[in-house]
């Protein structure tokens, strides 16, 4: 794991500055700064209701921002819907995955972006590319790319959803709790895959409740506490306990929000 | 989508193909034995396809053939083909709506209304037959457009919308024809669909073209898949499929080319009835649309998981409306074929058992009531099963209540097979 470019102040691929988001009177995100670096896994941690999913949806263009800047490769960009964000090369793997059980792996990976020869679907080239993508991610657990998604295990489905994001020219992949429903072996596979994405130069955001997962694959940790960023630190500079304190109390030693009482208002 | 997201990602140097398991799946079944085992596993897992319908057809044929010696005559079997045409076409339209997990209870009467318009255009306005057919189709499309919009924009369950249309649309023929009346449907071309036959030579040429086309396409696809190292069937299986297809097509052509006149010494009635090429053309067209186009792929996606389809950028509303338009449009064709068979349109046309027969046909053929599964061929196989019941019972001089009971029972059986295989599928994940 390398933190070199962060230390060197490398440019984030994607950056949010001073983002606020309210739902009616509920102020969910307070002046949030968030950055995604190429080749790095950024873990987004926080208690239930801290605002992680809201932040992901703001990044994905599903929710607009009340205020704050959205920068891509250092330049401010105007994003107003999910299509704009997808056009930047940002893919989101939602917790519920949303795959079509009646379609096979290839059909799911190309859904909505099928390649055609004239009017006719070019199934052969799609199958070829799907297989190459899975192979390049060292996916070894799928019997055939033509098997229906319904026959896959939870980890395999997660793999297909991630591979779907990689198939396209994604620069950034956001994963909302990808291991929440998985067993030990499958979690292992998915974490390996997450690491490989970053090693290929993608910016990866991993939302997780599991500290072991976070410490295993993440390069950076951004902790949210009641909609505020409590800390944004390289993983090597903090311990398990510090992160748990940041999540539950918003501060830990000299890390975290100065005035926790104010944050709870 | 921007241009960059439509091109594939460059492959970063990862492990080369030979190291990955994906070299192992070049073909999922290496021999015909493996393929047979795969098939049995799929059946066990609840992926029955048209097998129950084919078994049902075999049972019905055996029973009727044993109980009446006229059943297997070419005369009666040709009749069966003609009788099944309108059910098959109606069912084929319904497949699209069922694919999305919706239902169209008004398809039968939409066909009746369309046939009324077509008949009136010819009789009262002297329109040329094809213009009258276009008018009937336009009515069908309009009905589908309205139903689809009500279902997708207002979010009314399709069951309710189409029940309302089932009631309201019966007013169209009743108002235009008048209670107790009926319209002659004796246009030479349209009536000829049911009572005239393709010349025997032309029939044979078409059959051979069909067989050669199917074989050529199958072999070409098989070879390209093998050459590219993609998933493909064992060669022997491809050969068997081509043999079965050829056997069915050539066998049916042979049967329909026999002289089936009651007095063969005096008359010669032979050749494929014109409705058959109409049904086959629709089958080929919709099969192509469903399996080879983006539109078809998106229909399956919406039927399988509408939310996933929406996130993939598919316009779910538009797909729903399109499905209802196709269904009602096909209902119009079916209504015209039914009128062609009976030679008339009456106020009750399409308001009887047509709809339930057609839903039954689609489901028996293997289309799921729960959405996401269905093929155009299901309508053909299921339609033949459904049409065989009244045909055979008619020969046996059974009271018509028996017909209702048997058909209802078959529909229930088909729906049970569908529900049970769905449960097995979700358990085994085929
Ligand atoms: N659409 C919404 N309308 C109103 N409140 C919302 C909405 N979405 C989230 N919230 C509120 O925002 C807070 C953060 O939610 P969320 O981002 O889902 O947290 P997390 O994913 O970290 O558990 C919660 O208090 C939640 O109730
Ligand atoms: Mg959440």
């Amino acid at each position: 794991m390398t933190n070199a470019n962060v230390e060197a102040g490398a440019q984030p691929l994607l950056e949010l500055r001073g983002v606020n988001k309210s739902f009616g009177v509920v102020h969910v995100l307070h002046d949030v700064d968030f950055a995604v670096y190429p080749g790095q896994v950024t873990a987004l941690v926080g208690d239930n209701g801290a605002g992680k999913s809201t932040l992901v949806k703001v990044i994905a263009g599903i929710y607009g921002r009340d205020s704050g800047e959205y920068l891509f490769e250092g330049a401010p960009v105007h994003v107003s819907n999910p299509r704009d964000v997808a056009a930047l090369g940002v893919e989101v793997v939602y917790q519920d995955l949303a795959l079509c059980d009646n379609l096979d792996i290839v059909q799911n990976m190309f859904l909505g972006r099928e390649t055609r020869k004239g009017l006719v679907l070019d199934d052969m080239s799609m199958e070829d590319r799907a297989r190459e993508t899975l192979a390049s991610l060292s996916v070894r657990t799928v019997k055939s790319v033509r098997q229906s998604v319904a026959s896959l295990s939870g980890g395999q489905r997660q793999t297909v959803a991630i591979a779907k994001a990689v198939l396209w020219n994604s620069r950034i992949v956001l994963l909302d709790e990808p291991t929440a429903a998985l067993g030990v072996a499958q979690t292992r596979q998915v974490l390996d895959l997450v690491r490989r994405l970053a090693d290929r130069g993608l910016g990866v955001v991993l939302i997780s409740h599991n500290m072991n997962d976070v410490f295993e694959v993440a390069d950076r940790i951004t902790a949210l506490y009641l909609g505020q960023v409590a800390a944004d630190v390289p993983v090597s500079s903090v311990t398990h306990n510090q992160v748990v304190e940041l999540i539950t109390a918003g501060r830990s030693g000299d890390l975290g929000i100065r005035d926790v009482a104010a944050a709870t208002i | 989508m921007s241009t960059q997201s439509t091109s594939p990602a460059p492959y970063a140097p990862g492990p080369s193909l030979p190291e990955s398991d994906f070299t192992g799946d070049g073909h999922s079944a290496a021999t015909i034995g493996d393929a047979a085992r795969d098939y049995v596993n799929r059946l066990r897992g609840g992926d029955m396809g048209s097998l129950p319908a084919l078994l049902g057809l075999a049972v019905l044929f055996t029973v009727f053939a044993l109980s009446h010696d006229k059943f297997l005559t070419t005369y009666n079997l040709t009749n069966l083909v003609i009788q099944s045409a309108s059910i098959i076409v109606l069912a084929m339209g319904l497949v699209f709506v069922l694919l999305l997990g919706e239902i169209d209870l008004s398809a039968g009467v939409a066909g009746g209304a369309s046939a009324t318009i077509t008949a009136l255009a010819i009789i009262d306005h002297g329109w040329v037959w094809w213009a009258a057919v276009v008018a009937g189709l336009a009515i069908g499309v309009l009905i589908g457009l309205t139903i689809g919009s009500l279902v997708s924009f207002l979010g009314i369950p399709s069951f309710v919308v189409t029940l309302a249309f089932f009631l309201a649309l019966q007013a169209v023929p009743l108002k235009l024809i008048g209670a107790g009346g009926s319209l002659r449907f004796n246009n030479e071309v349209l009536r000829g669909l049911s009572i005239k036959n393709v010349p025997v030579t032309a029939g044979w040429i078409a059959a051979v073209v069909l067989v050669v086309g199917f074989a050529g396409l199958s072999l070409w696809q098989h070879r390209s898949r093998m050459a590219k190292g993609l998933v493909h069937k064992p060669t022997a299986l491809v050969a068997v499929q081509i043999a079965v297809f050829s056997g069915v097509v050539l066998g049916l052509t042979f049967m329909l080319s026999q002289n089936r006149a009651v007095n063969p010494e005096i008359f010669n009635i032979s050749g494929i009835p014109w409705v058959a090429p109409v049904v086959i053309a629709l089958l080929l067209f919709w099969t192509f649309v469903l399996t080879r186009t983006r539109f078809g792929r998106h229909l399956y996606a919406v039927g399988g998981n509408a939310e996933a389809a929406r996130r993939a950028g598919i316009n779910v509303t538009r797909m729903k409306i399109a499905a209802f338009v196709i269904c009602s449009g096909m209902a119009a064709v079916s209504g015209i074929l039914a009128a062609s068979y009976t030679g008339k349109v009456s106020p009750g046309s399409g308001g009887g058992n047509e709809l339930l027969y057609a839903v039954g046909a689609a489901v028996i053929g293997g289309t799921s009531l729960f959405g996401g599964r269905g093929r155009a061929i299901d309508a053909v196989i299921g339609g033949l099963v459904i049409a065989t019941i009244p045909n055979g019972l008619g020969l046996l001089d059974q009271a018509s209540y028996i017909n209702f009971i048997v058909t209802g029972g078959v529909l229930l059986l088909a729906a049970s097979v569908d529900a049970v295989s769905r449960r097995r599928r979700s358990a085994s994940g085929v």
Side-chain angles (χ1 to χ4, degrees):
Chain A
M1 291 178 208
T2 55
N3 301 309
N5 16 0
V6 187
E7 254 67 89
Q11 191 183 59
L13 208 44
L14 181 144
E15 196 179 359
L16 299 190
R17 286 193 196 145
V19 166
N20 282 280
K21 173 70 191 169
S22 302
F23 295 105
V25 295
V26 191
H27 197 163
V28 178
L29 298 178
H30 299 257
D31 293 322
V32 169
D33 296 328
F34 185 68
V36 184
Y37 295 89
Q40 304 231 344
V41 178
T42 303
L44 182 58
V45 298
D47 217 343
N48 280 331
K52 306 181 296 293
S53 295
T54 305
L55 181 57
V56 166
K57 284 175 185 162
V58 167
I59 295 174
I62 293 175
Y63 295 151
R65 312 177 298 280
D66 298 340
S67 66
E69 280 184 283
Y70 195 119
L71 296 96
F72 196 79
E73 294 185 313
V77 284
H78 179 77
V79 295
S80 53
N81 59 48
R83 268 175 195 277
D84 295 345
V85 176
L88 292 173
V90 179
E91 293 278 341
V92 184
V93 179
Y94 295 94
Q95 200 163 351
D96 61 355
L97 297 184
L99 298 170
C100 293
D101 277 354
N102 57 337
L103 300 182
D104 65 30
I105 294 177
V106 180
Q107 292 169 340
N108 266 289
M109 284 176 68
F110 279 84
L111 190 60
R113 300 185 260 204
E114 294 83 0
T115 40
R116 291 184 295 183
K117 269 189 191 151
L119 264 183
V120 183
L121 291 173
D122 190 355
D123 273 320
M124 293 193 204
S125 86
M126 287 193 272
E127 183 176 326
D128 216 21
R129 276 166 52 188
R131 176 180 289 121
E132 271 184 68
T133 303
L134 287 164
S136 76
L137 292 170
S138 305
V139 174
R140 290 160 191 279
T141 59
V142 186
K143 199 177 84 197
S144 159
V145 290
R146 282 295 172 195
Q147 82 193 99
S148 102
V149 162
S151 67
L152 301 180
S153 69
Q156 290 172 326
R157 292 168 66 89
Q158 191 76 47
T159 301
V160 170
I162 296 172
K164 178 179 179 177
V166 177
L167 177 64
W168 308 97
N169 242 338
S170 317
R171 314 278 306 275
I172 294 177
V173 178
L174 300 139
L175 303 137
D176 198 347
E177 308 219 16
T179 59
L182 303 185
V184 177
Q186 297 186 343
T187 298
R188 169 89 269 123
Q189 285 164 16
V190 170
L191 291 180
D192 284 349
L193 188 49
V194 167
R195 193 59 242 168
R196 275 197 292 272
L197 293 185
D199 293 344
R200 286 172 57 157
L202 279 76
V204 182
V205 177
L206 174 73
I207 296 185
S208 181
H209 269 125
N210 186 324
M211 283 309 120
N212 291 329
D213 293 2
V214 169
F215 275 87
E216 187 173 338
V217 294
D219 301 296
R220 300 185 62 78
I221 296 183
T222 302
L224 277 183
Y225 179 73
L226 298 175
Q228 275 187 289
V229 177
D232 179 9
V233 290
V235 83
S236 52
S237 70
V238 285
T239 63
H240 268 58
N241 279 343
Q242 281 179 302
V243 177
V244 171
E245 277 177 29
L246 285 167
I247 291 172
T248 53
R251 60 176 298 120
S252 165
D254 52 355
L255 273 175
I257 304 162
R258 292 273 134 76
D259 188 358
V260 172
T264 54
I265 293 169
Chain B
M1 270 330 118
S2 78
T3 40
Q4 70 166 352
S5 63
T6 50
S7 60
Y11 303 116
S16 60
L17 273 172
E19 290 173 39
S20 120
D21 263 6
F22 281 88
T23 44
D25 77 337
H27 28 226
S28 39
T31 68
I32 197 146
D34 291 345
R37 217 165 306 127
D38 275 1
Y39 182 66
V40 171
N41 281 338
R42 280 219 310 279
L43 288 182
R44 283 225 189 101
D47 189 7
M48 312 275 275
S50 288
L51 187 68
L54 291 172
L55 292 178
L57 204 56
V59 169
L60 287 172
F61 264 62
T62 315
V63 170
F64 289 139
L66 291 178
S67 22
H68 202 292
D69 53 1
K70 282 232 168 62
F71 180 76
L72 279 188
T73 57
T74 50
Y75 178 81
N76 185 53
L77 292 179
T78 311
N79 240 346
L80 180 58
V81 169
I82 304 170
Q83 285 163 346
S84 62
S86 70
I87 299 176
I88 288 174
V89 172
L90 194 59
M92 217 181 273
L94 277 161
V95 164
F96 286 79
V97 170
L98 295 175
L99 259 184
L100 300 194
E102 306 279 350
I103 185 80
D104 184 354
L105 299 176
S106 68
V109 291
S114 302
T116 307
I117 301 299
T118 300
L120 283 177
I122 294 172
I123 297 169
D124 284 5
H125 302 280
W127 287 22
V128 51
W129 67 270
W130 56 263
V133 168
V134 169
L137 280 176
I139 296 298
V141 167
L142 197 68
I143 294 170
L145 213 54
T146 318
I147 296 175
S149 305
L150 287 170
V151 170
S152 38
F153 290 126
L154 293 188
I156 314 173
S158 55
F159 170 78
V160 178
V161 174
T162 58
L163 186 59
F165 270 76
F166 169 74
L167 296 171
L169 283 175
Q170 299 189 41
V172 175
L174 194 57
K175 175 78 180 72
L176 295 176
I177 302 172
S182 74
L183 299 172
R184 273 172 299 117
F185 203 85
N186 57 359
N187 173 274
E188 203 175 329
V189 176
L190 296 181
R191 176 81 167 120
L193 288 175
S194 298
I195 58 173
K196 288 194 182 155
N197 305 304
V198 180
V200 170
T201 321
W204 275 112
I205 292 174
V208 170
V209 167
L210 209 57
V211 165
V212 171
F214 179 83
L217 210 62
S218 304
L219 289 175
W220 174 78
Q221 203 158 42
H222 182 63
R223 282 192 43 176
S224 344
R225 289 196 149 267
M226 274 209 301
K228 290 193 179 146
L230 301 175
V231 175
H232 60 265
K233 304 167 194 156
T235 308
L237 182 61
V238 177
V240 169
Q241 283 176 335
I242 293 175
V244 170
F245 181 87
S246 314
V248 170
V249 170
L250 299 177
L252 280 174
T253 308
F254 177 77
M255 180 193 90
L256 295 168
S257 300
Q258 304 303 305
N259 185 359
R260 52 184 176 265
V262 186
N263 293 314
E265 294 81 21
I266 309 169
F267 297 108
N268 184 0
I269 305 175
S270 57
I272 300 167
W274 276 104
V275 286
V278 172
V279 172
I280 290 169
L282 289 170
L283 169 68
L284 294 179
F285 176 73
W286 290 123
T287 300
F288 172 79
V289 168
L290 282 175
T291 58
R292 309 292 306 143
T293 69
R294 189 180 276 181
F295 174 80
R297 181 69 43 86
H298 290 183
L299 265 178
Y300 283 105
V302 173
N305 185 339
E307 178 58 20
R310 198 184 59 76
R311 286 191 202 157
I314 296 169
N315 187 334
V316 174
T317 308
R318 220 175 51 201
M319 300 307 294
K320 260 192 195 166
I321 295 177
F324 280 102
V325 166
I326 293 171
C327 180
S328 301
M330 289 290 281
V333 177
S334 158
I336 292 166
L337 291 183
S340 157
Y341 177 66
T342 55
K344 64 180 170 64
V345 185
S346 50
S349 290
N353 291 326
E354 288 88 344
L355 190 267
L356 278 186
Y357 278 177
V359 172
V363 174
I364 290 165
T367 296
S368 174
L369 286 168
F370 303 98
R373 276 169 182 271
R375 300 168 304 168
I377 186 81
D378 294 349
V380 177
I381 299 172
L384 284 172
V385 174
I386 289 284
T388 303
I389 297 169
N391 176 293
L393 290 176
L395 286 180
L396 296 180
D397 266 338
Q398 291 293 335
S400 58
Y401 77 89
I402 300 272
N403 186 5
F404 282 109
I405 293 174
V406 173
T407 313
V410 169
L411 174 55
L412 211 53
L413 191 68
S416 315
V417 169
D418 179 27
V420 170
S421 30
R422 180 179 138 94
R423 274 234 302 279
R424 299 196 74 146
R425 274 203 304 275
S426 49
S428 71
V430 172

